[in-house]
Amino acid sequence: MSKKLKPILVIAGPGAGKTHYLVEKICESLPSLESHRFLAVITYTNTATSEIRERLSKKIEIPQNVFIGTIHSFLIRFILKPFGSIYGVLPNNPIYKEVNVNAKDKKEEHIIKSQIVKKGVVPYEKIISLSKNLMKDYEKVRVLVSERLQYLFVDEFQDIDSGQYEIFESIRKQQKTKMYFVGDPEQSIMTFRNNGRKKPLNKRPIYEAMQSKMIEKKFLYNNHRSSVTIIDFLNKFHTSLKQVKSNEEIDSQNKVVFIDAQDIRKIIEEFNRLCNDQKYCRNRPKSRFFLGFKGDTYTKVENEYGLIQKESNESNQPKFIEETSHFITKLLNTNQNNIISYMGIDDLQYRMLCLSVIDIIKQNPFISSKSLIDYIKVIFKGDPYKTIHNKIQHKPDELAEEFIKQINSELQGRFNLQKTEDYHLTIHKSKGLQADAVLVIARSKKELMKWLETDVEARLADKQDTCRVGYVAFSRAKEFLCIACLEKVDSELREHMIKLDIEIVPLAEKLLKV
């Protein structure tokens, strides 16, 4: 090619419409997509995969040579499956699963995991390193993978690790694939590690890409989600861009509020009061998030205040067959093809057996894990208690118990027509979501100070991602943001909040008397 193909890195803050941008760019690329090549879209959650597929399907009929999936499913399909067994890295028809090893140290754990890979069981964390090594060691693999990929889109680019970045660099250097990366460094909250050491933000792949002369940069400055006061507040923390308001429907200018209380019940009651006081919240919120770092922040009071625990991966149409098949293969330490082969059945019969497992749980929601395992042992003719290595943790009863809870939850959600708009969830699970009003509670004064850090160098050097966790939480709010802390804050932190234009609200008199 006469002109070098440079990847485009799009830095997009919260509410910038990055999914809309991705879908539009995919639609623009499809007319040029050759029939023998692929357009691949890599996401980092199943929810994001479903959202992109759903939005795309509303605009076009998705061609067969368009792949939309997680990073692991992408690497399996385009690298490990076609080249793993050919180059002796993997046996035929391996299974991929989460593996827990009872090892005395990291060295023994690595040895055991390498041993079970040879037996056809690939731990999830091995997928990236195996793929990276295939791309690194074999030029033909690099060439063939790149020739197969005409377009490559990577969502949530801030969450990639160094191994994934090496794979993308190998593809880039072949100069056969048009690449788009979309991400926000300020939402990098997965606490990266390099050989066991946590890495500061400015040592992560997204920053390397931002500084690379071989990658073009584009910034999306608009925020379509939040009010002007919330955007101004967020701009005090972002290290890469300053956003501007673009949603004309939101004209409220509610101040960011700090609730001066330490008891969680009093905090929630004050938040409820403020949401109904037009002095603080002009429009009564229709949706509210109650956020904390840990999942149990609101557990003790959820029933008392009618809060529902929201999962980011909830689905209106659970894929019961796929979920059951995944559970069965993990339970029996084998893959779908092997089960179909040794049972002498076809794919349809296998799917019917999976559905029968769901029917058993439907008929008896309180079925024990042992009873479910006994049923599976009979109909799938396998031994759920057989392990692949004496130091590999294989806990069939825990797998079955978790699966029963998952299916019961999805069945209940499918037929429950009553919807609530008050959800509590972890900050990590709130990524990509939004609510009219948001209450964020810090566990300690130290945590709150980190959340409100405005020094750029300090934020970049934060290896624990605490600064950015706060940013993600704050940026979920559309119109009203409240912050609180379970520890009493000192005068220094109060002065800092005032400088940030946070209004410190004391408890109402009736709450003080409680």
Side-chain angles (χ1 to χ4, degrees):
M1 295 184 181
S2 57
K3 186 179 179 181
K4 282 193 174 183
L5 280 175
K6 281 190 174 184
I8 296 176
L9 171 60
V10 180
I11 304 299
K18 64 182 181 62
T19 304
H20 175 78
Y21 174 87
L22 274 174
V23 170
E24 289 299 312
K25 284 296 177 184
I26 292 167
C27 290
E28 289 176 15
S29 304
L30 284 176
S32 304
L33 181 61
E34 300 169 24
S35 60
H36 64 287
R37 302 186 74 190
F38 273 83
L39 182 152
V41 185
I42 297 175
T43 67
Y44 283 81
T45 65
N46 291 323
T47 303
T49 297
S50 299
E51 183 181 2
I52 290 173
R53 186 179 295 278
E54 183 180 344
R55 289 202 194 185
L56 198 57
S57 62
K58 288 179 179 179
K59 291 178 172 287
I60 56 154
E61 183 177 343
I62 301 176
Q64 289 187 343
N65 57 338
V66 169
F67 168 89
I68 306 171
T70 63
I71 180 65
H72 289 102
S73 60
F74 168 81
L75 295 175
I76 291 168
R77 178 165 180 177
F78 289 93
I79 299 178
L80 295 183
K81 192 172 182 179
F83 304 111
S85 60
I86 291 176
Y87 287 93
V89 174
L90 295 173
N92 291 324
N93 298 319
I95 63 168
Y96 302 88
K97 61 179 289 185
E98 185 177 348
V99 173
N100 296 310
V101 181
N102 289 317
K104 61 184 179 182
D105 52 34
K106 287 287 184 183
K107 183 178 179 181
E108 185 184 33
E109 181 181 347
H110 175 74
I111 292 171
I112 292 171
K113 287 183 176 179
S114 298
Q115 289 173 346
I116 65 171
V117 166
K118 293 176 182 178
K119 294 181 179 180
V121 177
V122 182
Y124 286 140
E125 65 268 26
K126 282 280 187 181
I127 292 173
I128 292 168
S129 61
L130 290 169
S131 302
K132 180 190 73 173
N133 291 338
L134 275 168
M135 292 288 282
K136 180 181 177 182
D137 296 341
Y138 301 101
E139 182 183 2
K140 191 169 184 180
V141 174
R142 296 194 295 272
V143 171
L144 291 175
V145 169
S146 301
E147 285 181 345
R148 199 175 179 202
L149 295 169
Q150 185 174 346
Y151 294 97
L152 178 61
F153 294 82
V154 183
D155 192 13
E156 303 291 356
F157 192 72
Q158 74 276 356
D159 291 335
I160 73 166
D161 61 25
S162 56
Q164 296 165 40
Y165 189 60
E166 282 187 44
I167 293 169
F168 298 145
E169 277 289 275
S170 295
I171 295 171
R172 176 189 68 78
K173 289 174 182 177
Q174 292 298 312
Q175 286 293 295
K176 295 175 182 176
T177 307
K178 182 64 179 176
M179 306 169 77
Y180 293 87
F181 307 140
V182 182
D184 179 8
E186 210 59 49
Q187 296 188 66
S188 177
I189 59 172
M190 299 306 176
T191 310
F192 280 73
R193 295 176 182 271
N194 182 26
N195 296 325
R197 297 189 300 272
K198 295 174 183 176
K199 300 175 72 174
L201 181 61
N202 55 3
K203 299 295 183 183
R204 298 179 188 179
I206 190 167
Y207 256 80
E208 186 176 339
M210 289 173 69
Q211 294 164 4
S212 172
K213 294 180 180 179
M214 303 309 298
I215 298 176
E216 291 183 20
K217 268 67 72 177
K218 178 181 174 67
F219 292 84
L220 301 183
Y221 293 101
N222 286 342
N223 183 317
H224 305 287
R225 173 185 298 158
S226 303
S227 68
V228 65
T229 48
I230 291 175
I231 293 171
D232 287 345
F233 180 67
L234 295 175
N235 283 339
K236 294 176 171 70
F237 309 109
H238 207 295
T239 56
S240 303
L241 57 76
K242 301 297 180 186
Q243 291 189 297
V244 294
K245 178 178 175 291
S246 60
N247 188 340
E248 298 301 326
E249 293 181 3
I250 295 180
D251 57 1
S252 60
Q253 297 185 30
N254 306 316
K255 294 197 73 171
V256 177
V257 164
F258 176 76
I259 297 174
D260 196 7
Q262 294 78 53
D263 180 82
I264 192 166
R265 287 178 172 83
K266 291 182 178 179
I267 292 171
I268 292 173
E269 287 169 16
E270 181 66 4
F271 178 59
N272 289 339
R273 184 186 74 81
L274 294 175
C275 286
N276 289 289
D277 186 342
Q278 286 191 329
K279 176 185 173 184
Y280 294 99
C281 185
R282 198 181 79 178
N283 303 315
R284 187 172 181 178
K286 296 178 181 178
S287 59
R288 302 192 302 174
F289 282 170
F290 296 73
L291 303 181
F293 183 80
K294 289 190 173 182
D296 62 358
T297 304
Y298 302 91
T299 304
K300 291 181 181 179
V301 296
E302 62 181 356
N303 293 329
E304 187 176 344
Y305 292 101
L307 308 180
I308 300 297
Q309 188 162 11
K310 184 179 180 68
E311 298 294 336
S312 63
N313 61 348
E314 64 182 357
S315 171
N316 292 326
Q317 296 179 329
K319 297 180 179 179
F320 290 128
I321 293 176
E322 288 79 5
E323 289 172 350
T324 306
S325 178
H326 183 62
F327 162 65
I328 296 298
T329 56
K330 282 205 300 185
L331 193 70
L332 299 179
N333 278 317
T334 187
N335 59 51
Q336 179 178 331
N337 291 336
N338 285 343
I339 295 173
I340 290 173
S341 176
Y342 75 67
M343 290 186 67
I345 58 177
D346 58 27
D347 185 64
L348 180 59
Q349 290 170 310
Y350 174 81
R351 292 167 68 87
M352 293 302 292
L353 288 176
C354 289
L355 282 175
S356 74
V357 175
I358 299 297
D359 288 335
I360 288 291
I361 299 174
K362 274 185 184 179
Q363 293 165 19
N364 182 12
F366 302 102
I367 187 172
S368 68
S369 56
K370 184 181 183 304
S371 297
L372 183 64
I373 288 173
D374 288 343
Y375 176 75
I376 289 167
K377 191 174 181 179
V378 172
I379 66 166
F380 284 98
K381 300 177 182 177
D383 183 3
Y385 293 97
K386 184 179 178 181
T387 184
I388 53 175
H389 193 286
N390 59 6
K391 288 201 173 183
I392 295 293
Q393 296 180 23
H394 181 58
K395 300 178 180 179
D397 295 297
E398 289 186 12
L399 286 172
E401 186 176 347
E402 189 63 33
F403 179 70
I404 292 167
K405 287 181 181 177
Q406 177 189 357
I407 296 303
N408 275 327
S409 174
E410 290 179 351
L411 286 170
Q412 183 180 11
R414 191 176 187 183
F415 300 109
N416 184 12
L417 299 179
Q418 184 179 356
K419 292 184 178 179
T420 180
E421 295 296 337
D422 279 359
Y423 293 107
H424 77 91
L425 63 164
T426 66
I427 295 170
H428 284 78
K429 287 184 178 179
S430 73
K431 275 187 72 176
L433 304 176
Q434 61 185 25
D436 293 336
V438 172
L439 169 64
V440 194
I441 298 182
R443 295 168 293 176
S444 64
K445 181 182 73 173
K446 182 179 179 182
E447 183 176 58
L448 181 57
M449 288 174 68
K450 277 281 192 180
W451 285 0
L452 299 175
E453 179 62 72
T454 55
D455 182 77
V456 172
E457 293 304 317
R459 293 185 72 86
L460 291 176
D462 178 16
K463 297 179 181 180
Q464 300 288 347
D465 293 330
T466 311
C467 295
R468 289 172 289 282
V469 166
Y471 181 84
V472 168
F474 301 154
S475 59
R476 301 308 96 197
K478 295 173 67 177
E479 295 195 61
F480 188 42
L481 172 61
C482 282
I483 305 167
C485 183
L486 296 177
E487 286 184 358
K488 191 171 182 62
V489 300
D490 56 25
S491 58
E492 183 182 355
L493 185 50
R494 286 172 181 271
E495 288 176 12
H496 183 58
M497 286 194 285
I498 292 170
K499 288 179 182 178
L500 291 173
D501 204 25
I502 298 173
E503 182 169 342
I504 300 175
V505 177
L507 286 182
E509 285 188 21
K510 65 176 183 178
L511 292 176
L512 286 169
K513 294 175 183 178
V514 176

